[in-house]
Amino acid sequence: MHLTNKLSLSCIMTTVLLMSGCQTYIQPQKTLQKSPENILQKDTFQIDGKIGVRTVQQSGSAFYTWSQQGNHFTIDLTGALGIGKTHIEGSPGQVTLTSAKTGTISATSPEELLEKATGWQTPITHLIQWVQAKPATVEAKTTQDAQHRISEIIEDGWNVTLIYNDESQKLPNKLILKQSLSNQEENRITMVIQNRA
């Protein structure tokens, strides 16, 4: 649901979280500065795989295809918590989510769309960087593995574990995102990346 580089990551989460309950909002931190050339280079890709969500209220999963072309993205999800196929599309200033169950929901930002669709307020706009094994803000804390790849990111209330299939891979094949809640409970999102283009 991301309009800029932040749009795409929110879109994936919005659809999968359509049935989730409200959570506490954590104010996003300063985003890293990027030049227009870097944004186009880093944020043009296509990935697909499976995403699963487990909250205190419920859990579910969906298959996704995410295409990012600079500031424009499209995400298609199937099997998302029993709501069927969902299409999310965004560009700066406009994000839409369309499914048979919800109809079309529009917003000017990924966060606004997420709140409209789920009632959930959270800074999930960093996913586009996390799938590329990079922190999204200057306040992020990172840990590296023996191959000097980022293996953990702690950022804006989320603990992200990046898993690589083998020692030669530079980008992760799996991300596990955890958000700690009260009473030692947590929200957990598992994103498996099966293909990258």
Side-chain angles (χ1 to χ4, degrees), residues 46-52 64 127 130-133 145 149-151 160-177 189-197:
Q46 181 167 328
I47 59 175
D48 62 62
K50 188 172 184 179
I51 188 165
Y64 70 88
L127 188 57
W130 295 343
V131 299
Q132 298 177 91
D145 64 14
R149 302 171 299 194
I150 292 180
S151 58
V160 183
T161 301
L162 290 79
I163 300 167
Y164 303 82
N165 278 353
D166 61 56
E167 293 182 3
S168 66
Q169 287 195 286
K170 296 184 180 180
L171 296 173
N173 301 99
K174 185 176 182 178
L175 288 82
I176 300 172
L177 293 70
I189 298 159
T190 303
M191 183 176 185
V192 176
I193 300 170
Q194 295 172 332
N195 298 294
R196 286 184 185 265

Side-chain angles (χ1 to χ4, degrees), residues 35-46:
S35 68
E37 310 83 53
N38 286 342
I39 288 173
L40 289 175
Q41 275 183 352
K42 293 178 184 177
D43 298 340
T44 297
F45 57 83
Q46 181 167 328

Side-chain angles (χ1 to χ4, degrees), residues 72-122:
H72 179 79
F73 74 92
T74 59
I75 298 172
D76 289 302
L77 295 107
T78 55
L81 299 172
I83 62 170
K85 185 172 180 177
T86 301
H87 179 78
I88 307 166
E89 190 165 346
S91 55
Q94 180 68 37
V95 186
T96 59
L97 179 151
T98 306
S99 77
K101 187 166 185 174
T102 64
T104 299
I105 302 170
S106 298
T108 60
S109 73
E111 290 80 8
E112 181 187 344
L113 182 59
L114 178 63
E115 187 171 6
K116 280 184 178 182
T118 67
W120 195 17
Q121 296 179 331
T122 188

